[in-house]
Amino acid sequence: MKSKAQPKSGFSFADSERVERILSQYPDKKSATLPLLHLAQSQEGYISSSVIDTIADLADCHPSVVMDCVSFYTMLYTKPQGRHTIQVCQTLSCSLNGADSMVDHVRDKYEIEPGGTTADDRFTLMKVECLGSCGTAPVVQVNNDYHEGLSLEEFDQLLESLE
Amino acid sequence: MSAFKPVLTQHIHQQDCHTLPFYQSEGGYSALEKVLTMDPEDVIDVVKNSNLRGRGGAGFPAGIKWGFLPKDMVKPTYLINNADESEPGTFKDRLLINKAPHQMLEGMLIAAYAIRCNLAFIYIRGEFYKEAEVLEKVLSEAYAANLLGKNILGSKYDLDVIVHRGAGAYICGEETALIESLEGKRGCPRLKPPFPALEGYLKCPTIVNNVETLSNLPHIINQGAEWFRSIGPEKGPGPKLYCVSGCVNSPGVFEEPMGTSLKKLIYENAGGIKNGNQLKAVLPGGSSSAILTAEEAVVLNMDFDSLMDAKTMLGSAGIIVMDDTVDMVQACLNIARFYAHESCGQCTPCREGTTWLVKMLTRMVQGGGTAGDIKMLYEITDNIGGLIDFSKGSFGKTICPFGEAVAWPVRSFVEKFEAEFINYIPQQETVA
């Protein structure tokens, strides 16, 4: 029997064992949609249409159902991003503690607007809503890591250190 | 009050406090052992008697919520631990996950046993990637020690727990949106009734409880409902995690009894206002609560009833402090923008109203204020869903309380700091 982790579309999961594990733990396949989307994005960097086809196949639903889900969540990207995603929290406690000047800094120094990617694909800048770490404002999430209580200088060094 | 010793956070400064050996060395999982010998109904009674009210924001009594489950259960029952912590100003659950994850898991086990559930979920916001890793490790420790899985500690009780990551959507903290999201859909709240206790995940009976709520359970089982009720006000007792952020010297999470004075939390726990400035305003229960002026804030206690009497709410106890340098119109715009971004979009008053608020407030701060703006801000907030006066009852314009969550703070900003909004309207406009 053909493994479901390698369907007809152009995308297949590298870790098919993990896919099976995810699918088997839920009482229904469709609940595995978000975990599979996370897994695919960690592999591909974004959610392409062939990722959607593959996941729809695994979750036993129409691709439009998966796309409907993808379009709702801000952490799922439908376009390639830079090698690093820089997410500056802009909600109230961070804003009261200097988050706005951090966005301005990136804009001025690297000449990109929020949502934009540097010409060398080094990073994508995003303004995001509350990251849930208001006590250590301002907070910046770089890829999966939180960087908390950053001064503008520390933020600048952090950006410089990204390759 | 000075006699209060932290309960939920008592060990967070100790090394390896997140590990199973540490937790067990402090008596961890003894409450579970006790519960496994009890009748599930008796566990529910203990929690009902404790008066434990939900710590996620709505403050609904946990035991009563569990009591809504159907008595003749033919379908499986599910427990969901709501770790979607997304309310601006709130950062307590992340601390409990990082520093006391086994306390939370023991709480989940107690709740799951009480409601006869064999599969539970931890729905954690997607941005908490590291915390999801912590939880995966905690679950493997627990499985290896037979605290999860089949025949837990020889009791014939089975429970599996799945860590499920969200993907960046504030609304998924609302329990029916969370359930939709868990089912692999957009996080759009459901019309209630039916409530999740009857029809939740996969149309099965489902209980959703917050991380902090669940973390209280081992202590309630060990020390009794009466002990719990002796901490803070009778109608909503217990230890409470308060998050203080914004313009304070030492922001952080502080555990104090329910009903602790806001003044103490700001000036003692959080070290007072930054840069020697003066207190101007406080959002006491996350950005969804109505704002308090400095005069109102310093005489209030942080509990469900005191704050409701003051026409605001305890919510998630996310206390955002603003000093006298803060421009209230800009702060109001910041909040409105958050809600416009996070509206799920299914109800027109919320989807359109939040967008209009942002457009109007942006125009005002850019110098384009007009004479009718203040009146229109009131109209829009009323249309989205919020008169702060309960008796006038304008609830129910949207499927979920998100409508109130944006209308209340925005309206309260305009009401209490109207002069600042008027200042943004050019002089010739106000005359005309």
Side-chain angles (χ1 to χ4, degrees):
Chain A
M1 200 183 112
K2 197 181 85 173
S3 165
K4 276 222 153 188
Q6 268 114 39
K8 46 199 176 297
S9 77
F11 169 78
S12 58
F13 282 100
D15 189 346
S16 53
E17 232 170 78
R18 182 134 177 229
V19 171
E20 292 305 323
R21 205 164 61 238
I22 290 171
L23 282 167
S24 65
Q25 65 182 353
Y26 290 92
D28 79 320
K29 288 180 177 175
K30 211 162 158 283
S31 298
T33 305
L34 269 188
L36 290 176
L37 285 165
H38 277 304
L39 185 63
Q41 185 162 286
S42 69
Q43 185 180 324
E44 296 288 286
Y46 73 108
I47 307 296
S48 64
S49 61
S50 56
V51 165
I52 288 172
D53 290 343
T54 301
I55 292 177
D57 204 28
L58 290 164
D60 259 347
C61 61
H62 194 271
S64 65
V65 177
V66 180
M67 187 59 219
D68 186 47
C69 175
V70 169
S71 65
F72 187 80
Y73 297 97
T74 53
M75 286 178 68
L76 299 173
Y77 312 131
T78 49
K79 283 186 291 197
Q81 307 291 302
R83 290 192 294 283
H84 304 280
T85 51
I86 315 292
Q87 307 182 63
V88 184
C89 177
Q90 55 170 346
T91 313
L92 193 53
S93 293
C94 281
S95 178
L96 293 173
N97 283 286
D100 302 339
S101 63
M102 297 171 102
V103 173
D104 293 342
H105 176 73
V106 183
R107 185 187 274 138
D108 296 346
K109 184 166 174 180
Y110 297 94
E111 297 177 340
I112 51 168
E113 289 297 318
T117 302
T118 54
D120 58 0
D121 280 338
R122 195 150 71 100
F123 59 75
T124 302
L125 172 69
M126 289 177 232
K127 289 206 287 188
V128 295
E129 296 296 349
C130 190
L131 287 171
S133 188
C134 322
T136 53
V139 182
V140 178
Q141 184 170 17
V142 178
N143 308 322
N144 290 326
D145 298 320
Y146 275 39
H147 298 270
E148 303 170 47
L150 290 176
S151 66
L152 202 51
E153 291 71 36
E154 287 165 334
F155 181 50
D156 189 54
Q157 285 164 14
L158 174 67
L159 292 172
E160 290 289 325
S161 73
L162 300 172
E163 289 176 2
Chain B
M1 287 241 176
S2 58
F4 177 77
K5 281 202 193 103
V7 178
L8 304 172
T9 59
Q10 58 184 308
H11 299 302
I12 60 164
H13 299 298
Q14 285 167 267
Q15 209 178 352
D16 297 328
C17 56
H18 61 288
T19 65
L20 180 59
F22 177 91
Y23 188 60
Q24 284 180 317
S25 75
E26 294 291 338
Y29 291 104
S30 58
L32 172 68
E33 285 177 35
K34 189 171 165 188
V35 158
L36 290 173
T37 65
M38 290 168 71
D39 186 89
E41 290 301 321
D42 294 338
V43 181
I44 296 181
D45 282 343
V46 175
V47 177
K48 269 186 191 162
N49 287 337
S50 75
N51 252 347
L52 169 65
R53 291 174 66 172
R55 304 307 203 223
F60 197 81
I64 293 181
K65 198 185 219 183
W66 298 356
F68 289 155
L69 288 168
K71 296 291 165 234
D72 50 339
M73 291 203 226
V74 277
K75 291 178 177 177
T77 304
Y78 296 107
L79 172 72
I80 304 172
N81 177 354
N82 188 345
D84 193 50
E85 185 158 73
S86 308
E87 175 71 25
T90 316
F91 43 100
K92 63 194 177 59
D93 297 339
R94 181 170 172 238
L95 178 80
L96 290 174
I97 290 166
N98 277 322
K99 299 292 184 183
H102 280 285
Q103 171 180 264
M104 179 196 85
L105 183 62
E106 187 178 11
M108 282 184 77
L109 273 150
I110 293 166
Y113 178 83
I115 64 169
R116 301 167 203 264
C117 145
N118 301 112
L119 178 60
F121 300 90
I122 304 172
Y123 185 103
I124 182 164
R125 62 177 295 174
E127 291 87 347
F128 285 176
Y129 182 84
K130 298 282 162 193
E131 287 71 19
E133 283 186 332
V134 168
L135 290 173
E136 292 286 5
K137 212 170 279 177
V138 163
L139 294 188
S140 14
E141 278 183 308
Y143 273 107
N146 190 220
L147 293 159
L148 285 176
K150 300 272 175 230
N151 192 23
I152 292 168
L153 304 179
S155 64
K156 298 198 175 116
Y157 175 64
D158 307 334
L159 180 68
D160 286 306
V161 176
I162 297 173
V163 177
H164 188 98
R165 289 177 63 215
Y170 165 77
I171 193 59
C172 291
E174 194 279 339
E175 59 182 16
T176 60
L178 186 158
I179 290 167
E180 287 283 301
S181 176
L182 183 59
E183 289 180 357
K185 302 179 210 156
R186 302 166 74 85
C188 294
R190 295 176 181 172
L191 204 54
K192 292 184 272 191
F195 287 89
L198 292 180
E199 232 176 77
Y201 177 58
L202 305 177
K203 298 205 164 162
C204 295
T206 303
I207 293 293
V208 185
N209 287 140
N210 168 260
V211 171
E212 186 187 349
T213 311
L214 292 164
S215 297
N216 273 294
L217 296 176
H219 305 285
I220 291 172
I221 296 297
N222 277 332
Q223 303 187 62
E226 230 166 273
W227 160 81
F228 193 80
R229 280 206 316 271
S230 73
I231 303 169
E234 180 82 7
K235 281 186 180 169
K240 181 77 197 89
L241 301 188
Y242 301 95
C243 320
V244 189
S245 69
C247 307
V248 289
N249 284 313
S250 314
V253 178
F254 307 102
E255 183 176 358
E256 293 287 350
M258 197 63 102
T260 298
S261 90
L262 191 47
K263 189 177 180 182
K264 173 187 176 333
L265 288 162
I266 295 170
Y267 289 97
E268 292 176 35
N269 298 81
I273 309 302
K274 248 186 358 186
N275 306 323
N277 293 334
Q278 295 300 308
L279 177 65
K280 183 174 186 178
V282 181
L283 288 162
S287 65
S288 306
S289 59
I291 199 162
L292 297 165
T293 62
E295 297 73 37
E296 291 170 319
V298 293
V299 295
L300 272 174
N301 291 337
M302 290 290 288
D303 59 71
F304 294 108
D305 293 335
S306 304
L307 290 166
M308 195 168 277
D309 290 345
K311 294 183 175 160
T312 181
M313 63 173 183
L314 178 67
S316 53
I319 301 165
I320 304 176
V321 178
M322 283 158 264
D323 70 19
D324 55 355
T325 68
V326 175
D327 180 319
M328 298 313 275
V329 184
Q330 299 268 12
C332 185
L333 169 59
N334 186 294
I335 287 176
R337 193 204 56 227
F338 173 84
Y339 289 98
H341 181 262
E342 299 295 347
S343 172
C344 84
Q346 65 178 338
C347 307
T348 309
C350 172
R351 181 188 65 243
E352 300 301 318
T354 52
T355 308
W356 271 104
L357 286 176
V358 173
K359 279 187 186 165
M360 276 190 68
L361 290 164
T362 304
R363 174 168 53 71
M364 287 177 83
V365 300
Q366 288 172 348
T370 62
D373 281 351
I374 305 281
K375 192 166 160 258
M376 199 182 290
L377 283 169
Y378 285 133
E379 277 177 19
I380 296 175
T381 53
D382 278 355
N383 279 335
I384 300 173
L387 287 174
I388 291 170
D389 188 347
F390 286 96
S391 61
K392 289 185 182 160
S394 74
F395 286 99
K397 290 180 179 172
T398 51
I399 288 173
C400 82
F402 189 105
E404 281 80 24
V406 56
W408 285 21
V410 170
R411 192 185 170 92
S412 66
F413 266 80
V414 185
E415 271 177 353
K416 294 183 184 177
F417 298 94
E418 197 180 74
E420 289 194 42
F421 286 78
I422 291 172
N423 276 343
Y424 270 102
I425 300 168
Q427 207 62 42
Q428 65 274 26
E429 280 286 346
T430 50
V431 174

